[in-house]
Amino acid sequence: MSMTYQECMAFLAKAKCATTGRPVAHATRMKMLMHTYQTPTAYIQYHNTCIVEWTSTCIHFTNGGYMTQTTKSRLNDYLPSGYHIRQVKGEWVLTTPEHRPNRWLSDYFVLNFTPEGELMY
């Protein structure tokens, strides 16, 4: 369920309160952060950890240091089409739309994508 910044803003527009957000899964909410003099940021919070953040210029993904099955599942729910985090011998790896391992992921990682879904290096 990859989403664009505009889709996130439309989803949050239906929330009773954008800062408390809307539930998207168990213990997971989409929320909005209002910045002074900047466009708002939408983010996915799993428990107390921001794992996905949409800005008008990019999308950030992080595990927040938690290498759990549920964190990986939530990240995979929002990764751009064709990208997937999988586990190989206990290690997480990002695979590309061509199904090739692209990047081994450390215990704490950050992935950045353009709004069009291209991985930024």
Side-chain angles (χ1 to χ4, degrees), residues 22-64:
R22 291 182 65 188
V24 293
H26 177 70
T28 310
R29 298 182 77 81
M30 181 180 285
K31 297 182 175 185
M32 183 185 302
L33 180 61
M34 300 297 290
H35 299 284
T36 306
Y37 306 113
Q38 294 179 8
T39 57
T41 299
Y43 64 98
I44 296 290
Q45 181 177 332
Y46 174 56
H47 289 289
N48 291 322
T49 305
C50 173
I51 60 171
V52 183
E53 180 182 7
W54 288 267
T55 69
S56 58
T57 58
C58 67
I59 309 168
H60 308 279
F61 293 84
T62 182
N63 66 343

Side-chain angles (χ1 to χ4, degrees), residues 51-80:
I51 60 171
V52 183
E53 180 182 7
W54 288 267
T55 69
S56 58
T57 58
C58 67
I59 309 168
H60 308 279
F61 293 84
T62 182
N63 66 343
Y66 297 97
M67 303 285 284
T68 68
Q69 279 296 113
T70 308
T71 300
K72 183 173 56 161
S73 174
R74 297 293 189 271
L75 291 169
N76 280 326
D77 287 343
Y78 295 96
L79 278 169

